Amino acid sequence: MTDADADGIRVASPAGRWVVLTTVLGSSMALLDSTVVNVALPRIGKDLGADLAGLQWTVNAYTLTLAGLILLGGALGDRFGRRRVFVLGVIWFAVASLLCGIAPNAATLVLARALQGIGGALLTPGSLAIIQASFHPDDRARAVGLWSGLGGVGAAVGPFLGGWLVDGPGWRWVFFINLPIAAVCVPVATRQVPESRDPRAHGRFDVLGAALAALALALITYALIEVPEQGASALVVGAAVGGVVLAAAFVRVERHRADPMVPPSIFASRQFTSVNIVTVCVYAALGGFFFLSAIQLQVVAGYSALGAGAALLPTTVLMLLFSASSGEIGRRIGPRIPLTVGSLLAAAGMLLMLRVGPGASYPLDVLPAVLVLGVGLVSLVAPLTASVLAAVETGRAGLASGVNNAAARAAGLLAVAALPLLAGMGPEAYRDAGEFASTFRRAMPICAGLLVAGAVIAWWSLRKVSKPGPEQQLACTMHCGVVAPPLEPEPESRHT
């Protein structure tokens, strides 16, 4: 084996650099879309004649399939080869991106976004699983550090790139930009990345569980998005009831399967359950905030797409610079104080966004809000993930991280669906600056209230937690070291 010893590749070797490059390119595709699509929403709505529900589905179709299938995607990589599934995911994602870019109407765009989510569920867990499987144990932390740092640069560049594309060649290039990335990633992965599998992976895949979870989320999301326009119609009520029934069926199936996707026994830990509830509160608030703020800055405050993307950049920069230090502080003092204080600070940042209106000054109105929000997220995100991983034995760290990641994405999905309903936004609200501004003022306190609820749960339910071991610390770095919303689940193999 060239450039490697019996235990794996070294980071400093040519092979190691190729593996890092490949994983960064693959994960950057999904990361870029998560950071730039929100900025493009007003222009997408105008060009395709979409109402607010169409914009919600543009975001949620991707999140829906990604959240519902990401655990299954990781299991497929363990069984059939991580490189193989990763490459398939990159190709799938690129083809779906092409369909997004040429979509003639909103319905086609939503369908293509759902296909993108499937590709994301295949490539997302694979990028870090490849690092875990390929590198020498002594070099894994360094490899993940390189991945996180380069990914952080991509997260920082994303809003500028997205805004420039929307204001320049057009919003369709937000999706077309994935094609050259994939064109480089696929041949490099095929030639330079070693294949790996988990020899312990056996049994049947929990396809039924994944399908039930995705369908339950889809029906509930549909009911929440459509009720403002259709009211309590038979279709909306039927979707809501069907979603609840399928969710109950998912719980029942997972309790009785020999190899469940989400083993109920993992929730026997009070800390694991509590931290996942806090995760739902936090990422529901963040999902709603980032969805609505990008529209508020453009429609109400009059910012360009580039200006709106750049306006929220300080939050990403703070996360990039200080999350590692925050994780170390959380390791020393436990998660209770960081989760409580961080949630309250993030809530304060969202309330400060109420100052953003027509003609808002960036240094006086927008910047204080995003700085306070960023400080709250720095205090919160890394200890949140570390406490999830410390709540389970090391052998289940990958499963715990994947469950937490799926919970976070599902929370953001439901928030984007429910928040306009709760705030009283009509189907055409984003076309009218006055109407959107008034509903935005009702939405931000709801987001802040979710964070306060998370703070209360954290303070009440979390006491002292044991220090995470090396693998758990590594998983924390992988899971939350770059930017919110959370990144890929930790790649440790799990029993499927």
Side-chain angles (χ1 to χ4, degrees):
M1 179 186 296
T2 60
D3 300 322
D5 58 25
D7 294 318
I9 298 171
R10 293 290 184 171
V11 169
S13 69
R17 290 192 288 270
W18 280 118
V19 171
V20 171
L21 173 64
T22 304
T23 55
V24 168
L25 287 174
S27 59
S28 292
M29 293 173 60
L31 180 60
L32 281 172
D33 268 27
S34 69
T35 58
V36 304
V37 169
N38 282 350
V39 175
L41 289 175
R43 201 69 56 84
I44 291 174
K46 180 180 179 181
D47 287 355
L48 298 183
D51 58 10
L52 182 63
L55 302 189
Q56 290 172 280
W57 277 116
T58 299
V59 174
N60 278 348
Y62 174 80
T63 310
L64 174 64
T65 50
L66 180 60
L69 301 175
I70 193 168
L71 286 172
L72 182 60
L76 288 170
D78 287 344
R79 177 78 65 84
F80 296 114
R82 298 174 179 116
R83 184 188 66 186
R84 176 183 297 178
V85 174
F86 173 80
V87 169
L88 174 62
V90 171
I91 295 172
W92 189 302
F93 196 93
V95 172
S97 297
L98 175 62
L99 294 177
C100 289
I102 63 175
N105 52 54
T108 304
L109 177 61
V110 168
L111 177 60
R113 287 282 286 163
L115 293 175
Q116 261 193 326
I118 297 174
L122 296 173
L123 75 88
T124 294
S127 62
L128 290 175
I130 287 171
I131 289 179
Q132 180 79 351
S134 300
F135 283 98
H136 189 283
D138 293 343
D139 279 9
R140 285 174 188 161
R142 183 182 174 193
V144 171
L146 288 171
W147 180 92
S148 298
L150 294 172
V153 172
V157 170
F160 289 103
L161 177 62
W164 178 79
L165 290 172
V166 173
D167 289 338
W171 63 266
R172 295 180 185 276
W173 283 90
V174 168
F175 301 107
F176 289 150
I177 195 68
N178 292 320
L179 301 181
I181 297 176
V184 174
C185 184
V186 170
V188 172
T190 302
R191 297 175 185 176
Q192 303 293 339
V193 175
E195 184 60 281
S196 63
R197 295 176 176 82
D198 180 9
R200 299 169 297 174
H202 59 82
R204 295 187 300 174
F205 293 110
D206 189 8
V207 177
L208 177 59
L212 288 173
L215 288 174
L217 284 172
L219 290 175
I220 294 172
T221 301
Y222 174 85
L224 292 171
I225 290 176
E226 296 299 327
V227 70
E229 185 172 358
Q230 298 186 28
S233 66
L235 186 59
V236 169
V237 173
V241 173
V244 172
V245 170
L246 289 178
F250 168 75
V251 174
R252 181 177 178 81
V253 165
E254 297 303 282
R255 292 182 63 181
H256 290 89
R257 285 187 70 91
D259 296 294
M261 182 175 68
V262 183
S265 60
I266 198 171
F267 293 99
S269 165
R270 175 185 173 182
Q271 177 177 303
F272 182 80
T273 302
S274 298
V275 175
N276 274 284
I277 295 174
V278 174
T279 296
V280 169
C281 293
V282 168
Y283 284 103
L286 291 175
F289 172 81
F290 286 112
F291 173 70
L292 296 178
S293 293
I295 301 176
Q296 174 79 358
L297 288 169
Q298 294 178 71
V299 173
V300 178
Y303 284 40
S304 65
L306 176 59
L312 302 175
L313 181 60
T315 299
T316 302
V317 173
L318 287 172
M319 289 285 292
L320 176 61
L321 294 177
F322 299 112
S323 282
S325 299
S326 172
E328 178 61 21
I329 293 173
R331 186 186 70 83
R332 291 178 179 177
I333 68 175
R336 188 186 188 195
I337 293 177
L339 296 191
T340 302
V341 173
S343 295
L344 294 176
L345 283 172
M350 291 185 182
L351 293 177
L352 285 173
M353 281 294 291
L354 294 173
R355 296 162 51 89
V356 178
S361 165
Y362 183 74
L364 297 179
D365 299 320
V366 181
L367 184 59
V370 297
L371 286 177
V372 173
L373 174 64
V375 172
L377 294 181
V378 167
S379 304
L380 167 67
V381 173
L384 181 69
T385 305
S387 57
V388 166
L389 299 171
V392 299
E393 61 270 24
T394 301
R396 306 188 91 181
L399 173 62
S401 180
V403 170
N404 185 248
N405 184 280
R409 294 181 187 274
L413 165 75
L414 295 175
V416 171
L419 197 57
L421 170 65
L422 297 175
M425 292 184 183
E428 303 297 323
Y430 82 96
R431 302 182 191 278
D432 185 295
E435 181 182 354
F436 193 87
S438 63
T439 53
F440 182 82
R441 287 194 292 270
R442 293 194 289 269
M444 285 302 99
I446 297 173
C447 292
L450 286 167
L451 286 164
V452 171
V456 171
I457 294 169
W459 183 260
W460 174 75
S461 62
L462 299 179
R463 298 299 182 222
K464 186 177 180 181
V465 59
S466 59
K467 294 181 180 180
E471 291 186 26
Q472 293 167 320
Q473 294 179 43
L474 177 61
C476 176
T477 303
M478 295 176 179
H479 186 64
C480 63
V482 178
V483 63
L487 300 178
E488 293 78 0
E490 195 274 333
E492 181 173 335
S493 300
R494 56 157 297 212
H495 180 73
T496 54

